[in-house]
Amino acid sequence: MATILAIETSCDETAAAVVCHRQVLSNVVASQIDLHSRYGGVVPELASREHLLTIGDIVQEALLKSQLAWTDIDAVATTCAPGLVGALLVGMSVGKTLSMVHQKPFLGAHHLEGHIYAAYLEHQDLQAPFLCLLVSGGHTSLIRVDGCGQYTLLGKTRDDAAGEAFDKVARLLELGYPGGPIIDRLAQQGNPKAFHLPEGNISLPEGGYHPYDASFSGLKTAVLRLVDRLKADGVDPLPLADIAASFQSAVVRALTKRAVRAAQDQNLPAIVLGGGVAANSGLRHSLSAMAADQGIKVYVPSLQFCTDNAAMVACAASDHFDRGHRSSLDLGVYSRLPLDKISTLY
Ligand code: KG4
Ligand code: ZN
């Protein structure tokens, strides 16, 4: 069984981990939230610079905590897509250098495949095929997973990702960054039925709605209009907890309905939740309840493996390693790369 040291720097987390097959030996994450929060979002140039300052210590700490030496490591894996190009470049340069210095095979890794694989770290019984609801700051996708590298995109957001909607709504409510965890906490004190907000349906020319695609930018605009109306009516203070709960409930309904429907249509026995928004308490609860009603099993990673980390990247890379996949040291970084093009990395 392969032992992989993985590096992840695609956005605002500097992360390294050592994983032996699906067992996490170490998982170190340095978040840049404090650095970016004053700007209300990730500033790409600052992210790259911070990765550069932190990555050396993070990799060293990951190796130290794993209680292994370089001689025990079978390969180095590094996220090369998708993400912020400058941020990805830092991780890739370090990953390639370590692979050369220690003479280990190198594997480029796809960030979204990492999010899919996060569930394997704690659920030894999980087996493909399954449906993955992947919800992060940059992506919202329904993916049919038939095995390592075998992914079919069934549905997606047509505009904002779910996490982006959380972050934008939190900004317009002046709650801080990142919005997801703040809205999640606030929503627990509010009434989700206080305001009716749209679920992001996509109308089809022939009538009806697209079964799996969604739109979240209209929902964000609906919250903006609601806030404007409440202010115009002289409501002060704003019922922030009720707005947060109503917004979260609309996102959760939209995601849950589509995921359960896709799993049923595709005859898939399980749904795997992945990505930063998978940390959302409302989503975890609703999806588990609705899927259980339909006899569908739900696999939810623990919070530390939902948001960006390198253990999930190592886990995916170890499956590729076992299949004999290796990447060239000429491999570049890609801000976008559809999951069905993942074979181009090896
Ligand atoms: O997967 P991730 O760590 O980074 C990307 O690959 O994008 O996801 C970050 C996103 C952010 O938009 C953040 O607001 C959201 O995940 N998020 C949450 C929660 N925790 C993080 N969204 C809703 N509820 C949460 N508890
Ligand atoms: Zn992510």
Side-chain angles (χ1 to χ4, degrees):
M1 260 184 242
T3 302
I4 309 281
L5 184 142
I7 295 172
E8 153 66 47
T9 61
S10 65
C11 191
D12 60 342
E13 261 95 24
T14 317
V18 178
V19 170
C20 178
H21 189 52
R22 283 164 188 180
Q23 197 195 341
V24 182
L25 304 181
S26 66
N27 183 40
V28 184
V29 182
S31 169
Q32 301 180 357
I33 283 178
D34 292 345
L35 178 69
H36 300 288
S37 59
R38 80 187 87 144
Y39 304 101
V42 177
V43 182
E45 184 56 31
L46 291 183
S48 313
R49 285 165 193 250
E50 188 65 15
H51 284 313
L52 208 51
L53 292 175
T54 324
I55 186 75
D57 288 347
I58 296 298
V59 171
Q60 214 165 11
E61 196 181 330
L63 193 61
L64 203 69
K65 284 194 168 153
S66 74
Q67 299 193 325
L68 297 182
W70 270 105
T71 45
D72 305 311
I73 303 291
D74 294 305
V76 177
T78 307
T79 305
C80 63
L84 302 170
V85 165
L88 288 165
L89 268 174
V90 177
M92 281 287 273
S93 309
V94 173
K96 287 177 184 175
T97 306
L98 289 171
S99 115
M100 278 192 280
V101 169
H102 297 286
Q103 298 186 329
K104 306 288 174 187
F106 177 72
L107 289 95
H110 195 291
H111 183 76
L112 300 185
E113 188 180 49
H115 277 307
I116 295 172
Y117 264 77
Y120 281 117
L121 291 168
E122 298 158 302
H123 301 282
Q124 305 300 327
D125 63 322
L126 174 60
Q127 273 184 344
F130 56 80
L131 181 90
C132 179
L133 170 59
L134 203 165
V135 272
S136 70
H139 294 84
T140 298
S141 311
L142 284 171
I143 301 159
R144 184 188 163 100
V145 178
D146 283 292
C148 175
Q150 295 172 269
Y151 309 113
T152 312
L153 182 67
L154 302 175
K156 61 184 182 315
T157 173
R158 296 279 181 97
D159 38 55
D160 293 352
E164 200 178 343
F166 271 95
D167 295 336
K168 285 180 175 172
V169 165
R171 197 182 313 163
L172 79 89
L173 297 176
E174 294 173 19
L175 295 173
Y177 175 85
I182 303 171
I183 289 189
D184 193 356
R185 269 196 307 277
L186 197 59
Q188 287 167 30
Q189 299 144 34
N191 172 10
K193 297 204 165 107
F195 303 105
H196 182 74
L197 293 166
E199 282 173 33
N201 292 329
I202 305 280
S203 302
L204 293 172
E206 61 272 24
Y209 300 114
H210 192 288
Y212 312 133
D213 283 4
S215 153
F216 291 109
S217 80
L219 174 57
K220 171 199 64 195
T221 311
V223 175
L224 182 64
R225 289 216 191 95
L226 169 66
V227 168
D228 286 347
R229 180 165 57 78
L230 292 170
K231 282 184 180 163
D233 291 347
V235 178
D236 187 27
L238 286 173
L240 291 175
D242 285 349
I243 300 173
S246 303
F247 162 76
Q248 180 167 301
S249 154
V251 176
V252 167
R253 282 197 314 273
L255 295 172
T256 306
K257 261 190 355 199
R258 285 169 175 82
V260 171
R261 179 162 176 190
Q264 284 176 316
D265 291 351
Q266 295 275 319
N267 226 345
L268 294 169
I271 299 177
V272 163
L273 199 52
V277 183
N280 186 265
S281 60
L283 180 60
R284 295 163 85 90
H285 179 261
S286 287
L287 184 67
S288 301
M290 192 168 161
D293 280 351
Q294 306 301 323
I296 298 167
K297 207 163 171 192
V298 174
Y299 292 88
V300 186
S302 59
L303 296 186
Q304 61 167 329
F305 298 126
C306 287
T307 46
D308 288 349
N309 65 88
M312 66 183 196
V313 174
C315 183
S318 96
D319 259 17
H320 284 284
F321 182 87
D322 289 347
R323 282 166 176 72
H325 297 169
R326 307 287 183 268
S327 300
S328 154
L329 288 177
D330 292 335
L331 182 70
V333 298
Y334 308 92
S335 61
R336 289 166 180 270
L337 183 76
L339 263 176
D340 57 13
K341 297 275 184 297
I342 198 165
S343 61
T344 59
L345 303 183
Y346 307 109

